[in-house]
């Protein structure tokens, strides 16, 4: 169950990171509200995962899911640059997430 909580926390991190863009510096009410709710729920889900997962595994995977997802959605939603270096970097982050998951924790 901890891994499910961690995956949910990572998805919520993507949601609130994208929400920051839509809130335009917390100047738009509803995007700001949804961003704040996403932040809180992401932290709650992460804390549930950390009840049984080591912090050295859970936290990097949480941030990695957020980083990879946010980079991908930035390219898709906001037409951010699709450079070779960016794609290679995202692949390395994803490989690190897989490596941590497979580390046996």
């Amino acid at each position: 169950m901890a891994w499910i909580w961690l995956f949910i926390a990572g998805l919520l991190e993507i949601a609130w990171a994208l929400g920051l863009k839509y809130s335009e510096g917390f100047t738009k009410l509803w995007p700001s509200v949804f961003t704040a709710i996403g932040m809180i729920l992401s932290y709650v889900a992460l804390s549930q995962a950390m009840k049984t997962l080591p912090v050295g595994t859970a936290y990097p995977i949480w941030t990695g899911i957020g980083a990879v997802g946010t980079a991908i959605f930035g390219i898709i939603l906001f037409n951010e640059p699709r450079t070779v270096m960016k794609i290679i970097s995202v692949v390395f982050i994803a490989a690190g997430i897989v490596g941590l998951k497979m580390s046996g924790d």
Side-chain angles (χ1 to χ4, degrees), residues 50-87:
M50 284 187 173
K51 284 182 178 180
T52 56
L53 295 176
V55 68
T57 299
Y59 184 78
I61 289 177
W62 175 66
T63 58
I65 291 170
V68 169
T70 303
I72 290 169
F73 278 104
I75 290 169
I76 294 168
L77 297 175
F78 305 117
N79 203 29
E80 293 177 358
R82 295 173 173 96
T83 64
V84 171
M85 184 56 93
K86 187 174 202 173
I87 292 167

Side-chain angles (χ1 to χ4, degrees), residues 21-95:
K21 180 75 169 173
Y22 286 111
S23 75
E24 296 183 11
F26 290 109
T27 60
K28 292 188 172 183
L29 177 63
W30 291 113
S32 298
V33 168
F34 290 124
T35 298
I37 290 169
M39 287 176 171
I40 292 166
L41 292 176
S42 181
Y43 290 125
V44 168
L46 177 62
S47 71
Q48 291 299 309
M50 284 187 173
K51 284 182 178 180
T52 56
L53 295 176
V55 68
T57 299
Y59 184 78
I61 289 177
W62 175 66
T63 58
I65 291 170
V68 169
T70 303
I72 290 169
F73 278 104
I75 290 169
I76 294 168
L77 297 175
F78 305 117
N79 203 29
E80 293 177 358
R82 295 173 173 96
T83 64
V84 171
M85 184 56 93
K86 187 174 202 173
I87 292 167
I88 290 170
S89 298
V90 167
V91 168
F92 278 128
I93 294 169

